[in-house]
Amino acid sequence: LEGIQSLGARIKRISDSMVHIKGIDKDKIIADTINCRESGSTLRFLIPITAALTDIPITFIGEGRLGERPLTPYYEIFQKQGLSYSTDDGRLPLKIKGFLKPGTFTLKGNISSQFITGLLFALPLLNADSDIIITTELESKGYIDLTLDILKNFGIDIENKEYKSFHIKGNQTYSNI
């Protein structure tokens, strides 16, 4: 919640188990630093989302051992697409600048599903269609199914081609439930 709040989402706690979130206005990103604390999911989900929403420099920091978690699949995407980024020898802090561009994203299926989920969250927001190609057997199908189900519930259309590839239409908008 702190991560998306840093980007400008407004959070209202309804109860201990429910929050209301007013989404991010991509023209009004408010933070230049996102503290992911010790959450690998937060880090790996928000990296592509911020790159899809803004080209202002954003720095990701974390606590504990989070800084040691690998982010190589994203570094490879940044290099391929020409996004500017800097790290402390591959560790946090990570500073990125530049817009993620639609296209074909190639990932191994035996890496953390968090990288695939992060892209599945971000790619519908881009201005053209994209594809994610999985080059090895996908090991975390359950997590990908969970992601696809949540995205569908928010009006996002993604074509799952037997977990070997995913076609993501561009120019989609997340809708309220």
Side-chain angles (χ1 to χ4, degrees):
L1 289 175
E2 288 177 28
I4 62 172
Q5 199 167 21
S6 295
L7 293 173
R10 288 186 273 176
I11 312 293
K12 180 179 179 185
R13 191 164 297 279
I14 306 297
S15 69
D16 287 343
S17 62
M18 184 185 300
V19 295
H20 179 266
I21 301 170
K22 181 165 181 0
I24 298 165
D25 182 344
K26 67 181 181 178
D27 297 324
K28 296 180 183 175
I29 302 294
I30 62 171
D32 61 357
T33 301
I34 298 174
N35 187 345
C36 298
R37 306 263 178 235
E38 295 185 68
S39 173
S41 295
T42 300
L43 178 65
R44 290 175 174 169
F45 294 171
L46 290 185
I47 287 172
I49 290 171
T50 58
L53 294 175
T54 185
D55 69 343
I56 64 170
I58 303 231
T59 301
F60 290 89
I61 61 174
E63 300 169 3
R65 301 193 67 187
L66 182 64
E68 300 170 21
R69 305 260 318 254
L71 296 171
T72 306
Y74 287 150
Y75 300 154
E76 291 170 353
I77 290 169
F78 298 161
Q79 290 169 1
K80 182 178 177 183
Q81 292 204 348
L83 275 75
S84 172
Y85 75 100
S86 62
T87 69
D88 180 11
D89 197 26
R91 299 175 183 204
L92 296 182
L94 165 65
K95 184 175 189 174
I96 62 171
K97 182 180 184 329
F99 276 115
L100 191 62
K101 298 166 196 71
T104 300
F105 298 81
T106 304
L107 295 168
K108 293 179 181 177
N110 62 351
I111 61 166
S112 171
S113 63
Q114 294 168 346
F115 294 107
I116 299 166
T117 292
L119 288 170
L120 289 171
F121 286 157
L123 296 177
L125 301 171
L126 302 184
N127 62 2
D129 295 1
S130 295
D131 291 285
I132 299 173
I133 308 296
I134 307 299
T135 61
T136 64
E137 185 71 24
L138 183 60
E139 293 181 2
S140 299
K141 289 178 183 171
Y143 289 115
I144 298 304
D145 285 338
L146 179 64
T147 299
L148 294 172
D149 188 50
I150 292 296
L151 289 168
K152 184 178 179 181
N153 288 339
F154 282 91
I156 300 298
D157 181 33
I158 295 179
E159 183 182 354
N160 177 359
K161 298 180 179 181
E162 299 179 9
Y163 301 98
K164 294 180 183 346
S165 68
F166 301 89
H167 181 73
I168 302 100
K169 294 177 186 174
N171 292 309
Q172 294 189 62
T173 303
Y174 284 83
S175 62
N176 292 331
I177 299 176

